[in-house]
Amino acid sequence: MTKKLVIKVTAGADAPERCSQAFTVAAVAVASGVDVSLWLTGESSWFALPGRAAEFELPHAAPLPDLIESVLAAGRITLCTQCAARREITEKDVIEGVRIAGAQVFVQEALGDDTQALVY
């Protein structure tokens, strides 16, 4: 049975270390063969848009665009429906491979068998 990890990241440029930790953990988990679902909420919602991750800088941290690419290669990235709506972000605006979904989908994923959920 495959282990599953659901990560909700609420931090963006407003809390760069917490933000970077979430993306780093997601990328490392994907590289380790874990089924990863990364949820962008709050200020991290902006990273669903093309080019926004390239603006993020944190010394001694992996580049955010590389981490996003790693997660999308073998995992899933979801933008919160309400967070997207508050920022007027639509499905046509987001990076290819990013979906928009709501709390019901998050809860379903987080409560799945052999699933660990983390919130940053």
Side-chain angles (χ1 to χ4, degrees), residues 1-83:
M1 214 176 267
T2 303
K3 289 280 191 176
K4 298 174 188 166
L5 183 61
V6 177
I7 299 173
K8 179 184 271 195
V9 55
T10 63
D14 60 326
E17 287 185 298
R18 192 162 31 109
C19 176
S20 180
Q21 289 168 0
F23 282 93
T24 300
V25 167
V28 168
V30 165
S32 301
V34 177
D35 180 3
V36 174
S37 178
L38 178 64
W39 282 72
L40 307 179
T41 67
E43 286 303 301
S44 72
S45 300
W46 296 114
F47 298 127
L49 296 175
R52 286 295 185 100
E55 298 171 5
F56 181 87
E57 292 184 19
L58 181 64
H60 311 291
L64 203 54
D66 294 349
L67 297 173
I68 290 171
E69 184 178 320
S70 294
V71 175
L72 283 174
R76 289 172 310 288
I77 297 181
T78 305
L79 172 59
C80 161
T81 301
Q82 289 182 18
C83 300

